[in-house]
Amino acid sequence: MSMRIGLLAGTVLALVLHAPAEGQNEVWGAEGRVDFSEFRIANVVPRGQPLIPVFEGWFNNPDGTRTASWGYFNLNTEELFHVPLGPDNFVEPAEFDGMQPTYFLPAPDDRGRRRRHESVFAVTVPGDYQGQVTWTLRVRGLTIESPSSFGSEAYEMLNIESATSSPVSPLMRVADSPVGRGRVGPVAGPVTVAVGESLPLELWLDLLDRERTIVDWYHHQGPGEVTFAQQESVVDATGEVELQTLATFSEPGEYMLRVTALENPSALVQHCCWTNGYLYVTVTP
Amino acid sequence: MNRHARFSLLLGLSALVAVAVFGFSPEKLSAQSAGDVTFAADVAPILQASCQECHNPEGVGPMSLLTYEEVRPWAPMIREKVSTREMPPWHVDKNVGIQQFKNDVSLSDGEIEKIVQWVDSGAPLGNPADLPPPLEWPSGEDWRLESLLGRPPDLIVPSTSFDVVANGLDQWHTPVVEIEGLDGPRWVLANETKPSYPLGRRVTHHANSSVLRVVDGEEQRAGFSNFGIGKPYDIYPLNTGMMVQPGDQLSWNIHYYPIGQEVIGEVAEVGLWFYPEDEPPQFATAGDQSFGSYRSDDQEMVIPPNSRQITQGIHVLQQNARIHSFRVHEHLIGTGQSLEAVYPDGRVEILGKAGWHPSWHITYLYEDHVAPLLPKGTVLIITAWYDNTENNPWNPDPNTWVVHGRRTGDEMSHMWIGISYFDDGQFEYLVAERERVLEELGIATAGEEDGG
C-alpha cells in the first residue's frame, strides 16, 4: 500500500456541511483503516480542509526518459500553506526531491475558475527506471502520499503537442535560461535581490501561431510572501514576445518562482499543452 | 491496450472461463436433451428481441448471434452473461424506481431461466420448423431510425472532419457548424447520430451536440443529440419537439480514442426527422440537460485512494417539468447514480437508479405514461457512487487521488436528463391527460393509492 494517511489527534475541524453517506472516505492508511470523514473531502470551504498532492500523469520523452507531473488541490478558499522542503514535504526517491512547491495558494472562491493547481512541477526519470516516484505532504496532521502511476494508460499524457483545442506548448526562456517548453520547461537562476527591492523578471516566449496566451507568475517555493507587479498578463500576439514584470520579497531566504504560459484553461482540463518555467531567487536581508 | 481491446479480451477470457467452468463440449452441445427448452422454439425468439440488434454481422457486438450455428459455440458464455445480467446491457436497478422504459432490452427472470435450462440441457437446436423467421438488421451505414420512422432523415448535419491517429491518447474534436438547409423554423421529433462505418464507429467514444442560437445578443445552448455505445438516437415524447431555425449552429463535442489504425477524415453526422410543417408539436423540449451530482458552489471531485465516496447534487426546479429520459455519465471510478424527486407536498419518489459501465452510455427512455411530471419547486437529487478501490475492475490505479477532468483517467459525474418545461396551463393539461391515460390503462394514481 503506497498511500498512507495518518491522523494526529485534535487536528481536524468538523465541518457542518452536507453529511456524506456511510462508508465515505474510509482510507487504508499506514496504521490500517482510518476515519477520514471528518474532512468532508469533497467540500471546498474557507478554512480547515486538507491540502491534497495530486498526481496528474506521465509522459514519454523523445530521449527515452519519462516524466511524471504533480499538481495540488488546496481545499480551502482562504487558507494558504507554507510547507518547507523536508520531513513534511518531500519527493522519494530523494534524487528526485526539490522541485515541488512549498507555497500553496488557496482555491479560488469563484467556482467559475479552475480551483485546482495542475501540473506545478515534474520529475524526469531514466528510461530504465522501474519504480514509482512519490510526493508526500504532511499538513494538518494528515500525511498524504501521491505516487506516480508510470505505465498506467489512463494517466498517460502529452507534453508538447496534441490534437486538443490548445495544441502546442510555447517556447520559453526565463532570464538567462536555455529555451525550454512543456511541463518541465526552462529553469534559471539563482539571481539575488534584497528584501523589499524589486527584482526584474524577464521572459521571452515564442507563441508560434497561438492567438492568445495567458502568462502567470507564481510564488512556488520560499518562506515569505512574493508580490508581483503584474501577476497575470494576457498576450494577444503570435510569434516571439518579450515580457517584463517585477517581484518583491517580504523575507530573506531561498525562493523559486514559477511562470506558466497557457493558451486557455481548457489545456489544463485536457492535460496539454502549455509551458512551465522556473526561476531560483536568493533573497538577502 | 485500449479499452476496446481490453473489453474484447475480457469477453474472450469469459468464454474460456465459461467453457472451463461448465465443461462444455461440442458433443454435449449437439446432443438432444429430454428437456423441453430448445433453441428453435424458445431461445431464438429471445435473441431476436434482445440480442441481435447488436449481435449481427455489422452490429457492435463482438460476435453474430443470428443462427444456431453462430450461437452454439457461445452458449456457455451466454449463460454466464445473461444469468449475471451483464447482458443484454441494462443497468437500471430493478428493485427501486420506475421500471417502464421504451428501450428496455433486459430479460425477464423467465427468459433467463429458459436460457439457463437450454444451456444446461446441452443447448439443443430442437425442431427447425419452430425457428422464427429471420429478422433483417440494418447495416452499420444505415440510419437506425429509418426503419422505425419510415423514411430517411429530413436533414443531415455533418461535423467537420478529423484525423484520428492510430496510437496515442484520447482526442477531442469540438467544431461548431452551421445547420444548413432550413427554409424556416422546423420542429425536430427525433435525431440520430452516426459516425462513419465501420472505422468511425470504432474510434468514437461519444459524439454529442448542442444547438446554439443567438437571441438578443445572448448565446443560448440546448443539449440536442447524443451518441455513445448503446445510445444512437433520441425520439422525443408524443407531441413534443425541439425547434431549429435558420442561423442556428450545431456545437459538437466528439471524443475519439485511437484503435491502432489511423482513421483519416472521420465525419460524424446527425440526422434530423421533423414534424410536418403544418403540424407542429404542442410542446417544446429543452432536450438533454446536464444535472451535476455535486452541490453547485462548494463541492469538487476529490476521491481519496482506496476509498469509496458518495456525493449528491441538489437541484430545485424553477418551472413545471416532465422528464422523458435519464443517462448516467461517469468515467472509471463511478459505479452508478440515482435520480430522486422531492415533491412540493413532501412526497419522495425514486425516479430511477442505474449502475454505470464505462463501455455503455445507455439513455433510459421512460414510457410516456410514467415519464415523471414534476411541479415547479420539486427538488431533484442526483446521488453518485464512486469506488476507488481495487475492487473496481475498471480502476486504473487505486492508490491515486482522483479528481475531475475530461480525460478518461480523471472522473466526471453528471446525469443527462431529457426534460421539457411547461407553464401552469400546459402542466395542468398534462396532469389531467396523464390521469386519463392511467385510468384507461387501469393504473391507480399515487393520490388514489394513498386514499387521496
Side-chain angles (χ1 to χ4, degrees):
Chain A
M1 179 73 61
S2 57
M3 169 66 202
R4 299 190 191 104
I5 294 178
L7 263 180
L8 295 183
T11 57
V12 296
L13 296 173
L15 302 173
V16 187
L17 286 170
H18 186 60
E22 188 178 350
Q24 177 177 343
N25 298 329
E26 286 187 344
V27 181
W28 281 102
E31 293 117 28
R33 188 174 288 278
V34 294
D35 181 5
F36 201 57
S37 61
E38 288 177 85
F39 280 107
R40 305 294 189 270
I41 198 69
N43 291 313
V44 177
V45 298
R47 309 183 74 80
Q49 280 283 66
L51 169 65
I52 311 294
V54 178
F55 170 67
E56 303 281 359
W58 63 275
F59 52 88
N60 290 309
N61 297 305
D63 62 1
T65 60
R66 291 186 298 175
T67 298
S69 178
W70 283 263
Y72 66 88
F73 204 155
N74 182 350
L75 297 172
N76 304 281
T77 57
E78 294 178 357
E79 193 171 12
L80 63 81
F81 296 96
H82 279 282
V83 189
L85 300 182
D88 291 339
N89 182 358
F90 59 94
V91 172
E92 289 182 303
E95 63 194 282
F96 304 120
D97 190 38
M99 284 298 289
Q100 68 272 27
T102 68
Y103 182 86
F104 299 91
L105 287 166
D109 198 17
D110 175 6
R111 181 61 189 266
R113 299 189 62 188
R114 296 288 294 170
R115 282 177 156 170
R116 195 156 61 80
H117 297 268
E118 289 96 341
S119 288
V120 297
F121 79 101
V123 165
T124 298
V125 301
D128 59 357
Y129 183 79
Q130 295 297 315
Q132 300 294 349
V133 177
T134 300
W135 180 22
T136 300
L137 276 175
R138 179 187 288 268
V139 174
R140 189 168 280 125
L142 280 176
T143 301
I144 302 179
E145 294 183 355
S146 180
S148 64
S149 189
F150 279 126
S152 170
E153 176 190 297
Y155 291 104
E156 186 178 1
M157 304 187 296
L158 299 169
N159 185 39
I160 303 296
E161 289 187 71
S162 84
T164 67
S165 57
S166 184
V168 184
S169 301
L171 299 166
M172 177 187 286
R173 186 167 60 229
V174 182
D176 58 353
S177 75
V179 173
R181 68 194 306 195
R183 287 178 181 78
V184 177
V187 180
V191 296
T192 301
V193 68
V195 170
E197 291 186 358
S198 293
L199 174 70
L201 303 177
E202 307 282 343
L203 187 68
W204 171 90
L205 293 165
D206 185 347
L207 303 174
L208 307 167
D209 58 356
R210 301 155 65 104
E211 293 182 351
R212 167 167 289 198
T213 301
I214 305 167
V215 176
D216 284 288
W217 285 94
Y218 295 99
H219 179 181
H220 189 72
Q221 293 181 354
E225 297 298 322
V226 182
T227 303
F228 298 99
Q230 189 166 4
Q231 189 270 330
E232 180 169 279
S233 306
V234 178
V235 183
D236 290 316
T238 59
E240 297 184 31
V241 297
E242 292 186 358
L243 300 175
Q244 295 85 31
T245 189
L246 300 170
T248 54
F249 300 80
S250 65
E251 295 179 24
E254 299 301 322
Y255 287 77
M256 186 191 293
L257 306 181
R258 182 177 85 254
V259 59
T260 64
L262 181 74
E263 183 167 4
N264 60 61
S266 74
L268 301 171
V269 182
Q270 299 180 30
H271 296 282
C272 202
C273 301
W274 71 92
T275 295
N276 292 334
Y278 302 88
L279 175 64
Y280 285 101
V281 182
T282 299
V283 179
T284 58
Chain B
M1 189 184 301
N2 63 42
R3 275 173 288 127
H4 262 344
R6 274 207 304 267
F7 184 61
S8 300
L9 179 62
L10 204 60
L11 218 55
L13 290 174
S14 300
L16 292 174
V17 169
V19 169
V21 168
F22 297 107
F24 230 75
S25 69
E27 292 74 20
K28 191 174 180 183
L29 282 165
S30 61
Q32 285 292 315
S33 150
D36 292 327
V37 181
T38 68
F39 178 82
D42 304 290
V43 175
I46 298 172
L47 297 180
Q48 284 191 343
S50 299
C51 309
Q52 291 180 0
E53 183 173 357
C54 294
H55 289 278
N56 67 69
E58 300 201 44
V60 296
M63 79 289 283
S64 175
L65 298 176
L66 297 185
T67 67
Y68 179 68
E69 289 71 25
E70 289 176 341
V71 172
R72 194 176 64 176
W74 299 102
M77 191 176 76
I78 293 170
R79 181 193 191 281
E80 171 72 10
K81 296 291 183 186
V82 302
S83 60
T84 58
R85 289 198 177 277
E86 192 175 332
M87 285 284 158
W90 186 258
H91 307 125
V92 169
D93 188 330
K94 287 182 171 288
N95 298 304
V96 295
I98 296 168
Q99 296 294 322
Q100 293 80 33
F101 295 93
K102 293 175 178 176
N103 56 334
D104 187 350
V105 293
S106 65
L107 302 182
S108 67
D109 291 343
E111 289 173 320
I112 293 172
E113 183 57 29
K114 271 188 184 176
I115 290 174
V116 170
Q117 280 184 27
W118 173 66
V119 177
D120 289 349
S121 63
L125 168 62
N127 183 356
D130 292 337
L131 283 168
L135 299 179
E136 291 288 327
W137 294 103
S139 150
E141 295 176 337
D142 295 337
W143 295 96
R144 306 281 292 281
L145 284 178
E146 185 167 347
S147 57
L148 284 174
L149 300 176
R151 66 180 193 275
D154 299 310
L155 185 68
I156 296 172
V157 184
S159 69
T160 57
S161 70
F162 188 82
D163 296 338
V164 184
V165 297
N167 296 292
L169 307 183
D170 294 9
Q171 296 168 289
W172 284 267
H173 183 44
T174 56
V176 176
V177 300
E178 301 292 327
I179 300 179
E180 296 179 341
L182 292 171
D183 297 327
R186 294 298 302 265
W187 287 87
V188 178
L189 75 88
N191 69 68
E192 177 178 348
T193 304
K194 191 162 67 71
S196 72
Y197 179 80
L199 291 181
R201 220 161 61 173
R202 290 180 59 203
V203 297
T204 306
H205 174 274
H206 73 248
N208 301 339
S209 77
S210 302
V211 172
L212 295 183
R213 180 177 303 155
V214 177
V215 178
D216 298 330
E218 295 282 323
E219 184 178 90
Q220 296 180 350
R221 178 183 289 262
F224 185 56
S225 63
N226 295 279
F227 170 89
I229 296 173
K231 202 281 171 184
Y233 58 75
D234 282 299
I235 302 177
Y236 297 128
L238 193 65
N239 211 10
T240 303
M242 181 181 285
M243 193 263 281
V244 292
Q245 63 187 25
D248 285 352
Q249 295 177 308
L250 212 57
S251 173
W252 288 88
N253 180 317
I254 309 176
H255 178 180
Y256 293 113
Y257 44 64
I259 57 170
Q261 180 177 354
E262 193 175 42
V263 181
I264 300 296
E266 168 57 18
V267 174
E269 296 177 320
V270 59
L272 281 59
W273 282 259
F274 294 133
Y275 282 91
E277 282 188 271
D278 56 351
E279 296 176 27
Q282 190 173 358
F283 305 112
T285 181
D288 283 3
Q289 294 191 334
S290 173
F291 287 73
S293 61
Y294 280 75
R295 294 199 307 180
S296 58
D297 292 329
D298 60 359
Q299 287 200 314
E300 292 278 353
M301 180 168 287
V302 188
I303 306 174
N306 301 293
S307 71
R308 296 183 180 86
Q309 195 176 82
I310 301 172
T311 62
Q312 288 187 318
I314 315 287
H315 308 269
V316 181
L317 293 178
Q318 303 299 320
Q319 301 175 70
N320 306 305
R322 178 183 60 199
I323 292 177
H324 60 263
S325 68
F326 74 92
R327 181 170 84 255
V328 175
H329 185 83
E330 297 177 313
H331 285 179
L332 298 177
I333 303 302
T335 59
Q337 294 175 346
S338 71
L339 172 61
E340 289 173 87
V342 181
Y343 292 91
D345 62 5
R347 210 160 34 93
V348 179
E349 182 182 12
I350 298 176
L351 306 181
K353 179 172 181 287
W356 168 251
H357 189 297
S359 295
W360 296 97
H361 294 238
I362 301 172
T363 295
Y364 302 102
L365 299 164
Y366 290 111
E367 294 278 8
D368 285 346
H369 71 281
V370 296
L373 288 169
L374 307 167
K376 62 186 169 192
T378 297
V379 178
L380 292 179
I381 302 175
I382 316 293
T383 303
W385 287 264
Y386 314 91
D387 183 354
N388 190 17
T389 74
E390 60 187 8
N391 295 324
N392 177 354
W394 299 99
N395 191 348
D397 186 348
N399 294 317
T400 299
W401 287 81
V402 176
V403 292
H404 176 270
R406 290 172 64 176
R407 179 178 62 176
T408 305
D410 299 326
E411 191 60 28
M412 278 188 166
S413 183
H414 53 266
M415 180 176 278
W416 288 101
I417 295 179
I419 195 164
S420 307
Y421 297 103
F422 307 101
D423 62 31
D424 289 346
Q426 291 174 319
F427 193 70
E428 285 173 16
Y429 168 83
L430 286 169
V431 170
E433 183 65 12
R434 174 67 55 83
E435 288 174 353
R436 185 189 66 75
V437 169
L438 292 179
E439 194 171 329
E440 274 184 12
L441 295 171
I443 301 170
T445 62
E448 290 166 345
E449 283 175 342
D450 296 342

